[in-house]
């Protein structure tokens, strides 16, 4: 079956970015530092000493990026607002300059017929919030809800689609346990409460968005999920797989779908949850949609030397990998979509990120013929189509990313964009994959117009 035949009419075609990865303008319009400014300016944390100080200069080049979105022909643009720009200090007051900027973006998008999907938290915690305790502290969840209320009051007359938090796994486990992301902590006793308060913050922010928007808001969370498979059929690998699946997937899915935190993983981590009466109800308030980000599966072996999980991801012999070293495995997207739809039954699912880093080459004529990324895009869309055929309520796909950008600890070396960014001139060039995406969108729209 062709893509156009399998994906429903009205399927949302989108592209995604995040504030710290593209905006730059680190002090423009009163922005103050986030934990990523601090982390990236700490020697040794980010490849080549890269920082998001300038990134893609998108804060100033919004009109250019809007033109790119129009040329790709997307229905929707997923971007994040920068909390330290919107609420620059501990007074909690909204910054009118930042609000004006995001308001203009929203107006421009709507005028172009592109629906904004705003992510409130894509990892740029204000440094003053970190200094007051950060995510391990309950107060941060309340502050996050205050910020959500500000955004809803400012934009909720025009924006209907909101994501509270992007990838709590990265916030909690990579930022507070592995230390490979800001704020760089490495302690399970800190990471568990951080994960808890991020999910509490999600629930509180969802309530604030709904209460403060002047029209019905459609709200969800974005989880990065991976199928976890045992390396062998040994009981040890099976046990390692179960705990890894619990740590990566169930820890975040279960609480937001009303199952509480998975008992096996709570026991395994051995850290008391900072639970108060009513928290689980707040976290599990019904969502309008679930966003799923998918990049790779994990094949797992027992490894007693791993201090936290006793499990380790092992390479898949012969696997094709992206420039990140991540296996290209489109079937994993189909598997995770089908699993989540069957086990958790979200009303609507969006793939809110899917994409790959490629070591792009610029041809003599300036073109970028990124065949690997194009193939990745097509194969992952085919996986979406197979999931839809199995009844998954998948309503849209957001390519990660609109632009090459600051890839966190990897800096600017890893390029995920459908559009190349020349970091010397900030010139943008649509790659072959971007042109292919535009064609797919056009073909699907034409084929489904009559349905
Ligand atoms: O760049 C990131 C994004 O910020 C969150 N999801 C994964 C992407 C690729 O690593």
């Amino acid at each position: 079956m062709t893509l156009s035949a399998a994906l429903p009419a009205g399927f949302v075609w989108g592209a995604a970015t995040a504030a710290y990865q593209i905006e730059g303008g680190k002090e423009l319009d009163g922005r103050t530092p986030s934990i990523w400014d601090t982390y990236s300016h700490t020697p040794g944390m980010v490849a080549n000493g890269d920082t998001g100080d300038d990134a893609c200069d998108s804060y100033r080049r919004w009109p250019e990026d809007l033109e790119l979105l129009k040329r790709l022909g997307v229905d929707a643009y997923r971007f994040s607002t920068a909390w330290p720009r919107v609420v620059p200090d501990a007074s909690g007051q909204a910054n009118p300059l930042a609000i004006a900027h995001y308001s203009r973006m929203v107006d421009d998008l709507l005028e172009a017929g592109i629906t904004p999907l705003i992510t409130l938290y894509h990892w740029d915690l204000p440094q003053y919030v970190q200094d007051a305790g950060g995510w391990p502290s309950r107060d941060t969840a309340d502050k996050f809800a205050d910020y959500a209320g500000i955004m809803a009051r400012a934009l909720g007359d025009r924006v209907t689609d909101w994501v509270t938090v992007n990838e709590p796994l990265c916030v909690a486990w990579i930022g507070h346990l592995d230390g490979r992301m800001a704020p760089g902590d490495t302690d399970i006793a800190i990471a568990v409460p951080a994960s808890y308060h991020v999910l509490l913050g999600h629930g509180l922010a969802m309530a604030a968005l709904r209460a403060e928007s002047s029209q019905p808001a459609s709200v969800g969370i974005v989880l990065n999920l991976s199928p976890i498979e045992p390396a062998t059929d040994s009981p040890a690998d099976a046990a390692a797989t179960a705990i890894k699946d619990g740590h990566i997937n169930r820890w975040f899915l279960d609480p937001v779908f009303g199952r509480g935190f998975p008992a096996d993983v709570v026991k395994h981590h051995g850290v008391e949850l900072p639970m108060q009466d009513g928290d689980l109800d707040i976290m599990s308030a019904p969502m309008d949609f679930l966003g799923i980000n998918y990049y790779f599966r994990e094949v797992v072996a027992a490894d007693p030397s791993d201090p936290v999980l006793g499990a380790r991801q092992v390479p898949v012999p012969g696997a094709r990998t992206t420039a990140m070293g991540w296996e290209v495995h489109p079937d994993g997207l189909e598997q995770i979509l089908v699993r989540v739809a069957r086990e958790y039954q979200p009303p609507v699912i969006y793939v809110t990120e899917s994409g790959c880093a490629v070591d792009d080459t610029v041809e003599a004529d300036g073109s970028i013929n990124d065949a690997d990324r194009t193939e990745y895009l097509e194969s992952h869309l085919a996986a979406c189509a197979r999931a839809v055929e199995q009844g998954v309520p998948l309503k849209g796909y957001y390519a990660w990313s609109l632009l090459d950008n600051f890839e966190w600890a990897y800096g600017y070396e890893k390029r995920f964009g459908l559009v190349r960014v020349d970091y010397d001139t900030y010139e943008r060039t649509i790659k072959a994959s971007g042109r292919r995406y535009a064609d797919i969108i056009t073909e699907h729209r034409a084929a489904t117009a009559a349905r």
Side-chain angles (χ1 to χ4, degrees), residues 2 59-60 82 85 178 182 185 225-226 252 308 340 365 381 429:
T2 65
Y59 194 76
R60 295 191 305 162
R85 214 186 284 277
D178 303 343
D185 287 326
L225 303 173
S226 294
F252 302 97
V308 177
V340 169
D365 65 359
L381 285 171
T429 308

Side-chain angles (χ1 to χ4, degrees), residues 245-247 249-255 259-268 273:
D245 180 61
H247 183 73
N249 296 318
R250 290 181 285 121
W251 189 264
F252 302 97
L253 282 163
D254 284 11
R259 299 182 181 184
F261 285 83
D264 57 336
V265 194
V266 174
K267 185 170 171 222
H268 182 93
L273 297 171

Side-chain angles (χ1 to χ4, degrees), residues 135-156:
W135 286 114
S137 156
R138 187 177 180 94
D139 188 45
T140 298
D142 293 322
K143 290 195 176 103
F144 181 54
D146 293 344
Y147 157 55
I150 287 172
M151 294 308 298
R153 283 192 292 281
L155 306 181

Side-chain angles (χ1 to χ4, degrees), residues 18 21 122-123 166-167 170 224 293 295 324 326 353 400 405-408 416:
Q21 295 182 272
H122 202 124
W123 309 350
N166 181 70
E167 300 183 355
C170 296
N224 50 329
N293 294 353
Y295 288 93
M324 298 293 282
W326 298 345
E353 286 182 28
W400 184 267
N405 59 49
F406 177 77
E407 178 52 27
W408 308 112
F416 277 87

Side-chain angles (χ1 to χ4, degrees), residues 181-210:
M181 285 189 167
D185 287 326
T186 53
D187 186 348
I188 190 72
I190 292 177
V192 165
S195 71
Y196 185 93
H197 294 130
V198 169
L199 295 180
L200 182 64
H202 150 73
L204 292 170
M206 193 154 61
L209 287 168
R210 287 179 175 146

Side-chain angles (χ1 to χ4, degrees), residues 96-117:
L97 295 174
I99 298 285
H101 173 82
Y102 293 124
S103 187
R104 173 185 166 206
M105 283 182 69
V106 166
D107 287 342
D108 289 348
L109 286 166
L110 292 174
E111 196 185 326
I114 299 171
T115 303
L117 169 59

